[in-house]
Amino acid sequence: MNCFNHTSISATGICKHCNKGICHQCATDTGDGLACTETCVETVQALNKLIDRNRKTVSAQHKNAYLSPIFLGGMGAIFLIYGLSGVQNAPLPIAMGIGFLIFALLYAAKVKSWLG
Ligand SMILES: [Zn+2]
Ligand SMILES: [Zn+2]
């Protein structure tokens, strides 16, 4: 493939936006991919920013997704410790604790499958 602007020069890269072949002279390095014209540089940079922002938002959501199972697991542990401490010989806190822990594990497995 030759440069879109200089048909006699072979292309050294491809514009990330319009996928035209471009030579070293025409290519502008956006930091994450090459672009040909000024318009393409702006578009690629805007696109990169958007992808970057999405990636950050998604990873923040991933972190929050584990808060619920962690909370449930904590609740389960508190019930279990309370039930097993012998302060009150009641099977209910132990059953609640086990229930919460199972639910927390199922929830965590679900979150893990969401996140891939
Ligand atoms: Zn372009
Ligand atoms: Zn060129």
Side-chain angles (χ1 to χ4, degrees):
M1 182 162 50
N2 282 352
C3 174
F4 180 77
N5 300 315
H6 310 90
T7 44
S8 56
I9 307 171
S10 65
T12 52
I14 293 166
C15 173
K16 201 180 176 183
H17 179 234
C18 58
N19 293 321
K20 280 176 198 155
I22 37 178
C23 70
H24 190 73
Q25 204 184 315
C26 299
T28 309
D29 195 352
T30 63
D32 184 20
L34 299 174
C36 57
T37 59
E38 214 172 292
T39 343
C40 279
V41 172
E42 276 170 25
T43 313
V44 169
Q45 278 173 341
L47 219 64
N48 286 342
K49 229 178 259 176
L50 204 72
I51 291 166
D52 202 44
R53 201 184 301 146
N54 279 353
R55 205 179 284 149
K56 272 175 197 154
T57 315
V58 166
S59 71
Q61 279 170 346
H62 283 188
K63 256 180 230 158
N64 292 339
Y66 276 113
L67 283 178
S68 295
I70 287 167
F71 174 74
L72 288 169
M75 289 287 285
I78 289 167
F79 271 115
L80 263 186
I81 290 163
Y82 177 71
L84 294 171
S85 64
V87 175
Q88 213 172 16
N89 192 17
L92 186 65
I94 297 170
M96 293 263 288
I98 291 167
F100 266 111
L101 283 179
I102 289 169
F103 193 56
L105 282 175
L106 289 176
Y107 204 134
K110 191 110 187 159
V111 168
K112 211 178 169 199
S113 76
W114 285 339
L115 307 182

